[in-house]
Amino acid sequence: MTSNAETGHPSGKRGVGAVGKPSSLWLRLLLLSSVAALTATAVTCVIAAFMNGGQGPLSAAFGAVLVMLFFGISLLIGHFVGRNNPSGAVGLFVATYFIKVVGFAVVLFVLGAPDWLHGRWFLIGAVVTVVFWQAAEIYGFSKARLQIYNDPEEQKGGPDVSA
């Protein structure tokens, strides 16, 4: 690729940053967070199996799946709302955190604790998943390039002419 600064044409076959159809921030966050949470859950399940046999990993995995389900729903809501209203998606994303907490509590109270559930590993699996999921989301948001302000409008006569 060579520079075509003198002619004003973009360098290469595509313009800067044009790699194809832009992907959704929310789906990238879902993928990144899911991979981080699944990796942490796998490590937690191995430790639980070593310490408590079969009951520990099942309980840790159950806690992790519930957390990933509720957190994944909010990212999917952000994805679908973000298509039509990108600025509203962030507000709705924050509002779903309250719904997740209430929904998680309702699931636990309605289902109750199954006989096979090991409470300590359930809690450890859920907490580890929350920590790694949130860390991946924060990392993903920090790397996202979001336009906060509108670009200034070009003055009549081009950028080099002052009014």
Side-chain angles (χ1 to χ4, degrees):
M1 274 169 74
T2 61
S3 173
N4 293 324
E6 295 143 6
T7 61
H9 298 293
S11 178
K13 295 181 180 181
R14 300 180 197 207
V16 175
V19 180
K21 184 179 177 186
S23 63
S24 168
L25 167 67
W26 306 104
L27 293 180
R28 283 187 312 220
L29 288 173
L30 180 63
L31 177 65
L32 180 66
S33 300
S34 297
V35 168
L38 286 172
T39 303
T41 300
V43 171
T44 304
C45 287
V46 168
I47 294 168
F50 179 72
M51 295 180 75
N52 281 88
Q55 192 178 20
L58 284 175
S59 300
F62 182 57
V65 165
L66 281 177
V67 168
M68 288 189 284
L69 177 70
F70 282 104
F71 278 39
I73 288 170
S74 66
L75 288 175
L76 289 175
I77 288 172
H79 169 69
F80 289 114
V81 172
R83 289 181 186 174
N84 300 327
N85 186 4
S87 61
V90 174
L92 189 60
F93 181 72
V94 170
T96 58
Y97 269 85
F98 174 73
I99 296 169
K100 286 189 290 190
V101 170
V102 171
F104 193 74
V106 166
V107 166
L108 292 178
F109 286 126
V110 168
L111 289 179
D115 294 334
W116 55 267
L117 187 73
H118 189 280
R120 182 180 308 136
W121 283 111
F122 175 81
L123 179 66
I124 291 170
V127 169
V128 165
T129 303
V130 166
V131 168
F132 278 84
W133 186 284
Q134 291 296 301
E137 271 187 7
I138 290 169
Y139 175 78
F141 270 121
S142 73
K143 296 298 178 187
R145 302 190 91 183
L146 302 174
Q147 182 175 0
I148 298 172
Y149 302 105
N150 290 333
D151 291 330
E153 291 189 29
E154 207 172 285
Q155 295 179 359
K156 213 175 201 183
D160 296 331
V161 178
S162 47

